[in-house]
Amino acid sequence: MLPSVHRVPAFSDNYIWLFEYAPDHVAVVDPADAGPVLAAAADRKLRITHILNTHWHPDHVGGNLAIKNASGCSIIGPRREQAKIPGIDRAVGEGDVVSLGDHHGEVLFVGAHTAGHIAFHFASANVLFPGDTLFAMGCGRLFEGSAADMFAALARLRGLPADTRVFCAHEYTLSNARFAVTVEPDNAALAARYAAVQQARRNHQPTVPFTLLEELETNPFIRARTVAELAARRSAKDAF
Ligand code: ZN
Ligand code: FE
């Protein structure tokens, strides 16, 4: 059986993930805020052993210190941003392995949204935590990197198994879908997904996780064939 990943919503649109890599033991991915994480862990009797940070933005590390103080967990984050990761114990980069119980996750360098952004891929659990790099039908804004950097980052993720379950850090799906259908008006899979996510959001249901295959079929950013095409789509979305 694949491990559970528990959702903890925070702020207006953040998702914090509790990756239950062994029974009752969790790693917290990108804790925007400590309160809801500690409450969820207490409710479900989960022991927090690790925090995994994908990048330094406050809505991804804001809960680090309070969760560490409450649980004694250890914090793993991006080497190139370690000075900006509160409480970091272990700095990691491309090719490093993060072992949680029987699951050995690969660290992928995906710098673009921020310069040192990383993603965590646990192949044995079939999960990817891409932070703010890949969203449903979208990608992260280019705050510190270039379109070429994002093209390389998405190419890295594109190579993972298509059935990988993707747990991104925000519920941006509806806004992404509205834009995506303007880029690919003839994409039937995209039109169907747009209808499905409208329905889900009307019913206040989350649209994350999703599979990498869905992105390969409907996400205009991961589907961009060239850096120039990706750059044009990213700027158009910024102004959408
Ligand atoms: Zn961010
Ligand atoms: Fe974010």
Side-chain angles (χ1 to χ4, degrees), residues 33-64:
D33 196 11
V37 169
L38 295 173
D43 269 5
R44 299 169 197 182
K45 305 206 175 358
L46 300 170
R47 178 167 163 223
I48 298 169
T49 60
H50 298 77
I51 289 172
L52 309 181
N53 293 131
T54 63
H55 67 295
W56 69 268
H57 282 163
D59 64 310
H60 298 256
V61 305
N64 275 21

